[in-house]
Amino acid sequence: MKAILTFLTLALFASPLLAKKYPGLKVRGNYKVMDVVVENVGNNTLGLTTQDVERAVKLRLLANGIKGGKILGHQLYVRVGVLSTGNAFDLDVIFEKISFAYGVDEKVAGISFTPNQGSYGSYGTAGRSKQAILEALNAQLDSFLLDYLESNIE
């Protein structure tokens, strides 16, 4: 019984650590520069701000050798929604490519499109601390960055 419990525990915690290559995450040009767009975080009782989210994203990118900056071709879109009462949240980390930079017809895909990639989102309760939301965001950023780097490092 103990061996089964140990196996299930390892499987549960090890699975998010496995990176996967996605052709959609492969970029043209320098993969170590990423334009970051953070959707405005609405007013909430936790005091979580758009600047908090931007800071968390930039720190995670820098820790992985990726600097923020304007680059023509791709961007990381981050959305964090918090109920105004602060007791629940949902968030998404989405990698987007700019259509014309990848030869995709804007009439078909729009100005930007979301290529095939993993799912990097979460939802939950925040308790009384914005820290719970930032921890969930960091976990999703880590999952994205594992896949992104695996897809771009040769």
Side-chain angles (χ1 to χ4, degrees):
M1 180 68 172
K2 187 176 180 182
I4 293 173
L5 184 59
T6 302
F7 173 76
L8 290 175
T9 302
L10 287 174
L12 179 66
F13 289 107
S15 61
L17 300 178
L18 301 175
K20 183 174 179 185
K21 279 189 174 185
Y22 288 96
L25 292 179
K26 179 81 172 145
V27 300
R28 293 179 179 170
N30 189 358
Y31 72 92
K32 291 189 174 193
V33 178
M34 179 84 64
D35 189 12
V36 177
V37 177
V38 175
E39 187 175 293
N40 187 44
V41 176
N43 292 332
N44 58 81
T45 59
L46 297 177
L48 182 71
T49 65
T50 303
Q51 290 76 23
D52 292 332
V53 174
E54 288 172 340
R55 183 176 187 274
V57 172
K58 287 178 184 177
L59 285 172
R60 270 312 200 253
L61 291 176
L62 286 172
N64 286 279
I66 301 169
K67 64 180 182 176
K70 295 292 180 190
I71 187 164
L72 185 61
H74 57 273
Q75 65 185 16
L76 187 62
Y77 179 79
V78 179
R79 185 198 57 75
V80 177
V82 183
L83 288 180
S84 60
T85 58
N87 60 351
F89 71 93
D90 68 315
L91 61 90
D92 291 301
V93 175
I94 303 166
F95 181 74
E96 297 179 334
K97 290 183 174 179
I98 308 304
S99 296
F100 75 86
Y102 283 86
V104 175
D105 188 347
E106 287 185 27
K107 293 175 187 168
V108 175
I111 294 172
S112 65
F113 65 97
T114 304
N116 186 28
Q117 61 190 284
S119 177
Y120 316 107
S122 183
Y123 63 91
T125 57
R128 297 182 179 191
S129 168
K130 66 182 179 182
Q131 193 60 36
I133 299 171
L134 293 173
E135 287 173 7
L137 174 61
N138 284 335
Q140 295 307 312
L141 287 168
D142 287 347
S143 293
F144 163 75
L145 286 166
L146 276 171
D147 291 349
Y148 178 76
L149 292 171
E150 182 71 21
S151 299
N152 283 283
I153 295 175
E154 299 182 11

